[in-house]
Amino acid sequence: MASPIKYIWMNGELVPPEKAVVSFLNPTLHYGPGAFEGIRCYDTDRGPAIFRLKEHTERLIGSYKVLGGRELPYTFDEIYEATKEVVRANGFKECYIRPLIYFTDSMGLTLDAYKTALGIAAWEWGNFLGAEGIEKGVRAKISSYTRHHINVSMTKAKIPGNYVNSILAKAESTRMGFEEAIMLDPQGYVAECTGENIFYVRKGMIYTPPLATVLEGITRDTLLAVAGSLGYIVVEEPVGRDQLYLADEVFVCGTAAEVIAIREIDFRIIGDGKMGPVTRALQQAYFDVVHGKHALSDGWCDYLS
Ligand code: PPE
């Protein structure tokens, strides 16, 4: 059972969840501008540690910049400290952390008329593809929805409105009985999943789509380093959907999803139809890294105390 949320950090103050409210007349709610992050805190031998908080804070500020926001009222250091403060105040050992830059004070489509605000919540959130997904892998469908065109939405930014595209794809997939949707970019190359980056393995080599059209995933970046430390070569190159069908292994990764095998795509069994050895090795090493048990943990685990 998840412990209740005691506090949410709202614009400089820790308040109980029922006080962390915004007006109905809020442009983020009506149109979707804003910037958010998804971060995890893991328990380690040295107490709770937020994984790659620096990079997540940088990406949050970067998303706001990409959107064109000009008046973020908090510095990098203030956001970084506030994120740690909200985890400490709730007493969580492991949790998911959700900072959201949102807008207030004006309706309409004029960004420069908005006032910028920031809230940071944390809650206990297990892997959202489930413990069974972590062990056995999940089934996915290539979505009938196309991922963002790079000049329609900003693919490097975690902007709330971008996620309607993910919600459309995920609803379609789950209603058809799959667990995840794989999205193709407007040219037809494999882009990413609704909330994860994607990799495949073939003949011992690992491949992943290049960054131009997808989110610069921090888990993706972590796995590039982990794969290197295990001696694997990772190639970043455009990927067609049939390259996934022919792969020995396919896996996806993200802060919320962690590392998960895709065991079937469009009714084609991938490899042996279960988590493959490369995915397993990377998943195990990833859990070691985030729990402070790996040589790579040192620079990346941000200990709360
Ligand atoms: N692509 C997308 C579209 C995406 O949303 C995420 C994170 C990633 C790739 C992986 O990025 P990273 O977490 O830095 O490795 N998705 C976040 C939100 C998921 C949600 O359900 O909400 C997350 O994993 O926190």
Side-chain angles (χ1 to χ4, degrees):
M1 249 287 282
S3 338
I5 300 171
K6 289 192 213 127
Y7 297 105
I8 294 178
W9 188 98
M10 288 294 278
N11 301 301
E13 279 183 273
L14 287 169
V15 299
E18 61 277 12
K19 295 253 165 68
V21 291
V22 295
S23 164
F24 175 70
L25 292 175
N26 168 314
T28 304
L29 187 59
H30 291 247
Y31 313 117
F36 73 96
E37 265 308 315
I39 313 171
R40 275 191 190 273
C41 177
Y42 290 93
D43 200 16
T44 76
D45 289 346
R46 293 165 57 189
I50 301 179
F51 190 62
R52 300 192 71 174
L53 176 58
K54 186 169 159 286
E55 289 84 352
H56 281 284
T57 307
E58 276 166 7
R59 191 172 63 185
L60 178 72
I61 295 172
S63 293
Y64 180 76
K65 177 180 184 174
V66 166
L67 182 67
R70 291 174 168 175
E71 289 179 3
L72 186 60
Y74 303 101
T75 62
F76 175 94
D77 289 348
E78 284 166 341
I79 299 171
Y80 176 87
E81 285 307 326
T83 311
K84 289 184 157 185
E85 196 186 333
V86 75
V87 178
R88 277 193 207 105
N90 280 288
F92 296 139
K93 288 198 170 94
E94 299 213 333
C95 61
Y96 185 81
I97 309 164
R98 168 56 54 80
L100 170 66
I101 297 174
Y102 61 99
F103 296 107
T104 65
D105 276 48
S106 171
M107 284 300 282
L109 302 177
T110 309
L111 183 64
D112 289 328
Y114 305 156
K115 209 169 144 230
T116 304
L118 171 68
I120 309 172
W123 66 92
E124 290 181 330
W125 209 22
N127 182 283
F128 73 173
L129 292 169
E132 200 183 310
I134 284 276
E135 184 44 43
K136 294 198 171 143
V138 300
R139 298 170 62 246
K141 172 92 191 69
I142 303 283
S143 185
S144 77
Y145 295 95
T146 300
R147 194 60 180 154
H148 301 293
H149 181 285
I150 51 167
N151 210 24
V152 174
S153 297
M154 298 293 102
T155 64
K156 297 296 161 290
K158 285 184 81 81
I159 295 171
N162 283 358
Y163 281 79
V164 175
N165 175 255
S166 292
I167 288 169
L168 288 167
K170 183 122 183 179
E172 177 187 63
S173 257
T174 55
R175 287 173 184 176
M176 289 170 84
F178 297 90
E179 280 97 14
E180 191 42 284
I182 298 170
M183 305 193 71
L184 307 181
D185 72 18
Q187 276 68 49
Y189 294 102
V190 174
E192 58 190 333
C193 292
T194 60
E196 303 91 28
N197 291 111
I198 188 162
F199 289 77
Y200 78 89
V201 182
R202 194 167 186 203
K203 300 189 198 304
M205 297 263 286
I206 304 177
Y207 301 84
T208 192
L211 286 177
T213 66
V214 300
L215 188 74
E216 293 179 342
I218 292 168
T219 317
R220 176 188 184 278
D221 183 70
T222 303
L223 290 184
L224 292 182
V226 166
S229 77
L230 292 171
Y232 293 112
I233 295 171
V234 187
V235 181
E236 297 178 67
E237 64 177 28
V239 175
R241 65 192 284 176
D242 48 3
Q243 289 178 288
L244 300 181
Y245 297 159
L246 291 170
D248 301 323
E249 303 180 29
V250 176
F251 61 91
V252 300
C253 70
T255 299
E258 300 169 318
V259 181
I260 295 209
I262 304 287
R263 61 184 161 86
E264 189 185 315
I265 300 173
D266 296 348
F267 303 103
R268 286 137 176 104
I269 303 292
I270 304 303
D272 296 338
K274 44 185 203 258
M275 178 163 29
V278 178
T279 307
R280 187 174 292 283
L282 290 172
Q283 185 192 68
Q284 185 54 55
Y286 181 74
F287 284 131
D288 285 349
V289 173
V290 298
H291 287 102
K293 295 179 181 158
H294 193 281
L296 289 165
S297 305
D298 269 358
W300 286 340
C301 291
D302 213 320
Y303 297 96
L304 287 188
S305 52

